[in-house]
Amino acid sequence: MDPGKSRDSAETARVMQFPNDVLERILSLIDSHRDRSAVSLVSKAWYNAERWTRRHVFIGNCYAVLPQIVARRFPNIRGVMLKGKPRFSDFNMVPPNWGADVHAWLAVFADQYPLLEELRLKRMTVTDESLKFLARKFRNFRALSLVSCDGFSTDGLEAIATDCRHLTELDIQENGIDDISGNWLSCFPENFTSLEVLNFASLSSDVNFDALERLVSQCKSLKILKVNKNITLEQLQRLLVRAPQLTELGTGSFLQELTAHQYVELERAFISCKNLHALSGLWEATTLYLPVLYPACTELTFLNLSYAALQSEELAKLVAHCPHLQRLWVLDTVEDVGLEAVASNCPLLEELRVFPADPYDQDINRGVTESGFLAVSLGCRKLHYVLYFCRQMTNAAVARIVQNCPGFTHFRLCIMKPGQPDYLTNEPMDEGFGAVVKTCTNLRRLGVSGLLTDLTFEYIGRYAKNLETLSVAFAEGSDRGMQCILDGCPKMRKLEIRDSPFGNVALLSGLEKYESMRSLWMSACKVTLSGCKLLARQRPRLNVEVMKDEVDDGQSYKVYVYRTLAGPRTDAPSFVCTL
Amino acid sequence: MGSGGGSYEKDLNLEATELRLGLPGTTSSTAATDQEPEARQARNNKRSLVDRCEEEASEDASRALQKDHDSAPSSKAQIVGWPPIRSYRKNSLQTKKAETETSSSGIYVKVSMDGAPYLRKIDLNVYKGYSNLLKALENMFKFTIGEYSEREGYKGSEFAPTYEDKDGDWMLMGDVPWEMFMTSCKKLRIMRGSEARGLGCAV
């Protein structure tokens, strides 16, 4: 670098010659993974400083890199987040024993990161042996979060509770596990006090309530407590009085015969929780006891009612007390009227998720429609994240919705009947989604549904310049559609497509693209084995995995393509073929 | 990664059914022996993977065109993984449905009326609320019930609808919310005369 050239390059040279410890001190303040990745590309010195100071590593696809390589690059890791299976495995589209077993990672970590404190896993297979290994080998272990994982049982949790003396977080969410007994909770040592987060809402076995009560009263730093359905209202009251400092609460069952006295006590317990900003659970909640929540609702920012089949009036009464609500999850039993009440009462709403109470019954006509969504878009101008399951939609409504809320970052619309057109005009939903991508320039995630032609994907390719994740199901059209996406969306990272007529030409049009993406999933499309082999041959740094599906005899072809530095999997089961 | 070109493409048709763990062209001996019996069986029992895929490709095209017009049969069949709901949520919906289904198979309770020669039985699930139920009882036993008020019970008739709750106590109908009544009611009794008046004053 010629110092005489400009003042800028001289400045740069000086900055880049910072002594290492200064550079490291500065870089250790950077948390965001993306920022750190950018930092590491500046120069060799910065790359080194960054790798020495990184404390948390996020690996979005556990097969993209080998654990040994991670450990070699980052010697001082304290926390790891790993994601495994493709997202469609959440919907039973990936056979069991597919892989993503965490054990190989734990074995390397036991060697290289003996001081590991945090492990967050999503869609990974975790066995009881792995949990026992974790509890035994990592003396400093603090936080365990398992979301949508499988392979373990409550026996594994016993090992964690027994041996992790400094545990601050145990977060078990929506996993497919063997719930043998609730005994694991009783395995926490007598004098245990460090827990800050405890979430066992999705486990079904009874835990010993006395043990839970003792745990809650001893752990003075407990901030997040989410209990399971078996905890009664009376028990909940006893827990709340011991933990008024809670910021997030997941209740148990909200249906129980309470005496007047018990009711008052429960109400008082909620009043004393002055720091509550998130509420969930509320199984079987009805008008009976929802009012006890009202005092706690004024400061609520997140309300998860997706396990409580509320009617519209019940929701209306509840949200009237939630003026600061930012995130709301509900079941479609609240109907459009319920959503209208949300629109009138929650002007600060940013995120809405409406789940179907009866997703498999095609004959019923209940639930929410386009008018509920429209109403919310009118009343909640800050709305930017929506997941909406409905049975009817129109292009005009979608266009108006995004006109009202142009700031959408996540737009996930699921019209539940595959390939259903605009129910008023009978046209494809092309124009609706076209309006979404034209208007919402910050759109990062899009889920499309209904009757779609190539035009939808032309629009997406042309306008969705910030799109990172796209989910397509039961679309129509041709190879051209998928080509438009691959050619047009520069920031695409995850593309998942099912039951759509995209074939080899479409697949191969992404040759230049796939190495800049995390993954591509295609199932029940028109891709053939020869197309996949061609792709695999042309791009050795991609794993092109083909799955044979024995169950479904018709459309039994699943293709999963992802970039990797680790080469083909060594643990692939017999039904997975890496080309 | 294999000798590109036409001859390799032809080889594909046979080798395609061998599900190997490695890249095409590699011959790891353990992988081969592990897969051999399975692959042989696959070849014998099923069409080759490639043939199947090419056939499906053309089927798929015609199917895709039909999909839109073929509403009746496809709407009844449950499609794997659709709508996209996580297994945990799906399972809890199904248990909820099972629970309501078993309970909606009937909450049958006996109904007796003072002076009537025999009892009746009704399914509480059928009724939407107190007024619905009371009207049905009025029709069933040919009488009229008075106006309900929290303070004075049923005024304007000599009858009072009561029920026995889980604790064995006789309660006046209408004081507690309907859902709570449904879960705690063991049997109904339509009281008349002075006995009825006694109940109506309390609370």
Side-chain angles (χ1 to χ4, degrees):
Chain A
M1 206 178 292
D2 181 355
K5 228 180 195 148
S6 71
R7 217 148 46 114
D8 277 344
S9 54
E11 283 292 328
T12 319
R14 238 173 301 175
V15 167
M16 287 166 68
Q17 281 158 34
F18 267 175
N20 266 342
D21 45 353
V22 174
L23 193 53
E24 285 182 15
R25 183 71 68 89
I26 297 172
L27 294 183
S28 61
L29 297 172
I30 299 179
D31 282 331
S32 142
H33 296 293
R34 290 194 189 184
D35 287 345
R36 278 191 163 268
S37 294
V39 158
S40 67
L41 295 173
V42 171
S43 72
K44 235 188 175 109
W46 283 48
Y47 177 90
N48 278 319
E50 194 280 309
R51 61 183 271 259
W52 281 97
T53 55
R54 197 185 287 220
R55 291 281 175 272
H56 292 85
V57 68
F58 166 74
I59 293 151
N61 176 0
C62 64
Y63 286 120
V65 67
L66 290 174
Q68 295 87 335
I69 298 188
V70 175
R72 204 168 61 204
R73 177 172 171 188
F74 301 114
N76 288 323
I77 295 296
R78 293 279 185 272
V80 177
M81 172 152 193
L82 274 168
K83 290 189 177 179
K85 302 181 209 171
R87 194 179 77 96
F88 277 177
S89 69
D90 279 349
F91 318 127
N92 291 347
M93 291 176 71
V94 173
N97 305 317
W98 180 85
D101 193 320
V102 75
H103 204 87
W105 290 83
L106 290 181
V108 171
F109 292 161
D111 222 18
Q112 304 290 327
Y113 302 143
L115 297 177
L116 189 71
E117 295 175 5
E118 290 179 26
L119 189 63
R120 297 174 195 284
L121 304 178
K122 190 168 185 181
R123 292 190 200 103
M124 304 249 342
T125 293
V126 185
T127 60
D128 284 341
E129 280 61 52
S130 293
L131 289 176
K132 290 173 189 165
F133 184 82
L134 179 66
R136 225 175 34 242
K137 292 282 186 174
F138 299 92
R139 300 272 98 221
N140 221 24
F141 196 72
R142 279 161 212 275
L144 179 65
S145 167
L146 301 172
V147 178
S148 219
C149 295
D150 70 327
F152 62 102
S153 77
T154 41
D155 287 351
L157 296 182
E158 284 188 19
I160 300 289
T162 311
D163 293 327
C164 298
R165 298 288 157 150
H166 307 287
L167 199 69
T168 58
E169 177 174 339
L170 184 59
D171 184 6
I172 310 293
Q173 285 186 46
E174 297 188 350
N175 301 288
I177 68 166
D178 254 334
D179 200 333
I180 301 171
S181 91
N183 188 49
W184 58 273
L185 189 98
S186 310
C187 290
F188 283 106
E190 284 268 331
N191 53 357
F192 188 77
T193 56
S194 49
L195 215 53
E196 295 169 23
V197 176
L198 178 62
N199 178 359
F200 64 99
S202 58
L203 297 181
S204 51
S205 296
D206 269 317
V207 299
N208 179 311
F209 182 72
D210 290 332
L212 177 61
E213 198 175 5
R214 190 177 55 237
L215 192 64
V216 169
S217 25
Q218 280 173 193
C219 296
K220 299 290 177 203
S221 307
L222 191 68
K223 287 285 187 300
I224 297 176
L225 176 65
K226 298 184 185 175
V227 299
N228 69 8
K229 217 195 293 198
N230 307 349
I231 300 295
T232 66
L233 281 177
E234 197 187 332
Q235 291 172 327
L236 181 69
Q237 185 268 338
R238 284 162 64 181
L239 295 175
L240 287 180
V241 299
R242 291 185 185 1
Q245 76 282 3
L246 286 180
T247 58
E248 292 184 34
L249 173 69
T251 73
S253 165
F254 229 67
L255 184 70
Q256 183 194 348
E257 269 182 57
L258 292 182
T259 65
H261 174 71
Q262 286 172 321
Y263 183 100
V264 169
E265 290 290 287
L266 183 60
E267 199 175 30
R268 206 173 283 159
F270 271 103
I271 293 173
S272 71
C273 290
K274 302 204 183 294
N275 299 312
L276 217 52
H277 63 73
L279 197 54
S280 58
L282 301 168
W283 281 283
E284 297 151 339
T286 64
T287 20
L288 260 181
Y289 300 121
L290 280 176
V292 303
L293 296 175
Y294 294 168
C297 285
T298 31
E299 297 308 314
L300 269 192
T301 56
F302 177 35
L303 184 55
N304 181 353
L305 296 168
S306 63
Y307 292 101
L310 293 190
Q311 306 298 308
S312 38
E313 306 88 58
E314 294 166 320
L315 179 67
K317 285 199 207 126
L318 182 54
V319 294
H321 293 86
C322 307
H324 295 113
L325 210 55
Q326 290 171 15
R327 300 169 60 207
L328 176 65
W329 296 17
V330 290
L331 280 177
D332 64 358
T333 49
V334 303
E335 297 183 341
D336 292 332
V337 180
L339 293 181
E340 283 160 26
V342 174
S344 327
N345 288 290
C346 307
L348 302 178
L349 198 70
E350 296 178 24
E351 174 180 327
L352 175 69
R353 301 195 196 199
V354 182
F355 296 95
D358 233 324
Y360 305 110
D361 197 337
Q362 302 274 1
D363 293 329
I364 67 175
N365 221 353
R366 286 190 301 269
V368 294
T369 72
E370 75 277 13
S371 47
F373 197 168
L374 192 52
V376 177
S377 75
L378 277 167
C380 311
R381 297 307 176 111
K382 292 180 156 207
L383 199 62
H384 68 85
Y385 190 125
V386 168
L387 170 62
Y388 202 79
F389 285 85
C390 58
R391 289 189 165 85
Q392 66 187 48
M393 189 51 61
T394 67
N395 286 308
V398 174
R400 279 175 63 200
I401 286 164
V402 292
Q403 209 171 23
N404 295 331
C405 301
F408 268 108
T409 55
H410 298 68
F411 193 93
R412 305 166 62 188
L413 178 61
C414 182
I415 302 168
M416 286 193 273
K417 179 144 168 264
Q420 179 170 303
D422 175 322
Y423 81 100
L424 284 182
T425 65
N426 234 22
E427 283 171 4
M429 292 299 299
D430 296 337
E431 293 307 319
F433 288 112
V436 173
V437 292
K438 281 179 208 164
T439 318
C440 307
T441 49
N442 290 328
L443 196 69
R444 298 204 305 268
R445 181 169 181 181
L446 180 63
V448 296
S449 58
L451 178 62
L452 304 171
T453 72
D454 279 342
L455 188 53
T456 299
F457 305 109
E458 281 173 33
Y459 283 142
I460 295 175
R462 202 182 318 158
Y463 295 103
K465 294 306 175 187
N466 282 315
L467 194 63
E468 298 176 10
T469 307
L470 176 63
S471 304
V472 181
F474 303 102
E476 312 223 333
S478 68
D479 284 332
R480 174 174 160 66
M482 186 170 160
Q483 259 176 286
C484 286
I485 300 170
L486 293 169
D487 286 339
C489 299
K491 296 204 183 165
M492 185 62 66
R493 290 191 303 121
K494 288 177 284 182
L495 182 55
E496 46 186 33
I497 304 172
R498 65 167 291 180
D499 294 88
S500 302
F502 306 132
N504 293 335
V505 173
L507 177 71
L508 294 169
S509 70
L511 267 181
E512 306 301 319
K513 188 77 164 201
Y514 300 131
E515 278 181 25
S516 66
M517 287 170 52
R518 185 187 294 172
S519 63
L520 165 73
W521 167 284
M522 291 179 78
S523 59
C525 296
K526 288 161 73 177
V527 172
T528 71
L529 196 64
S530 46
C532 296
K533 286 204 178 225
L534 246 161
L535 175 61
R537 213 179 303 136
Q538 301 267 17
R539 288 286 178 272
R541 286 195 300 195
L542 296 178
N543 275 356
V544 180
E545 295 183 4
V546 166
M547 257 186 281
K548 222 169 61 149
D549 186 356
E550 290 87 5
V551 179
D552 198 351
D553 47 81
Q555 328 246 299
S556 58
Y557 223 22
K558 295 174 181 159
V559 182
Y560 183 48
V561 179
Y562 57 91
R563 67 178 173 192
T564 179
L565 298 171
R569 296 212 256 152
T570 51
D571 64 350
S574 55
F575 57 82
V576 173
C577 175
T578 309
L579 300 175
Chain B
M1 215 186 295
S3 52
S7 61
Y8 190 67
E9 289 289 319
K10 288 209 190 79
D11 291 343
L12 274 182
N13 280 335
L14 292 177
E15 285 177 45
T17 54
E18 268 180 53
L19 294 180
R20 302 216 220 127
L21 294 181
L23 293 169
T26 58
T27 46
S28 156
S29 52
T30 45
T33 41
D34 282 348
Q35 296 307 311
E36 277 269 65
E38 206 183 323
R40 224 180 280 131
Q41 203 184 30
R43 251 175 291 169
N44 292 336
N45 298 350
K46 301 173 188 168
R47 296 168 286 155
S48 84
L49 202 57
V50 175
D51 290 342
R52 215 145 47 106
C53 291
E54 319 241 88
E55 208 178 290
E56 281 159 15
S58 50
E59 273 176 20
D60 208 354
S62 47
R63 204 178 307 192
L65 290 171
Q66 273 182 32
K67 220 174 275 189
D68 197 23
H69 313 287
D70 219 5
S71 50
S74 59
S75 68
K76 293 298 177 192
Q78 225 185 83
I79 305 168
V80 174
W82 190 264
I85 298 169
R86 276 199 190 160
S87 311
Y88 174 75
R89 184 176 293 281
K90 202 169 67 160
N91 293 339
S92 64
L93 282 178
Q94 282 168 351
T95 34
K96 196 183 290 192
K97 218 176 178 188
E99 280 168 18
T100 48
E101 251 148 42
T102 46
S103 65
S104 60
S105 69
I107 307 181
Y108 281 94
V109 295
K110 288 185 193 170
V111 190
S112 62
M113 166 121 153
D114 291 356
Y118 50 81
L119 283 64
R120 302 297 300 272
K121 225 175 189 174
I122 57 170
D123 175 6
L124 289 181
N125 258 318
V126 165
Y127 305 101
K128 302 206 177 74
Y130 284 120
S131 46
N132 201 212
L133 171 61
L134 290 172
K135 217 160 237 107
L137 291 176
E138 283 178 328
N139 284 335
M140 196 182 264
F141 291 100
K142 308 282 180 279
F143 72 107
T144 35
I145 281 176
E147 197 69 40
Y148 174 76
S149 79
E150 223 180 270
R151 244 170 30 96
E152 300 182 60
Y154 290 89
K155 247 180 54 163
S157 114
E158 57 175 321
F159 294 100
T162 67
Y163 67 100
E164 185 182 7
D165 75 357
K166 281 194 190 139
D167 300 325
D169 298 320
W170 284 96
M171 317 285 295
L172 185 69
M173 263 175 58
D175 288 334
V176 299
W178 174 252
E179 298 90 352
M180 194 188 259
F181 162 75
M182 276 216 294
T183 52
S184 51
C185 169
K186 305 273 287 299
K187 58 166 97 128
L188 295 181
R189 176 181 162 196
I190 305 193
M191 288 186 187
R192 85 195 292 176
S194 51
E195 240 185 303
R197 239 162 278 137
L199 258 183
C201 299
V203 168

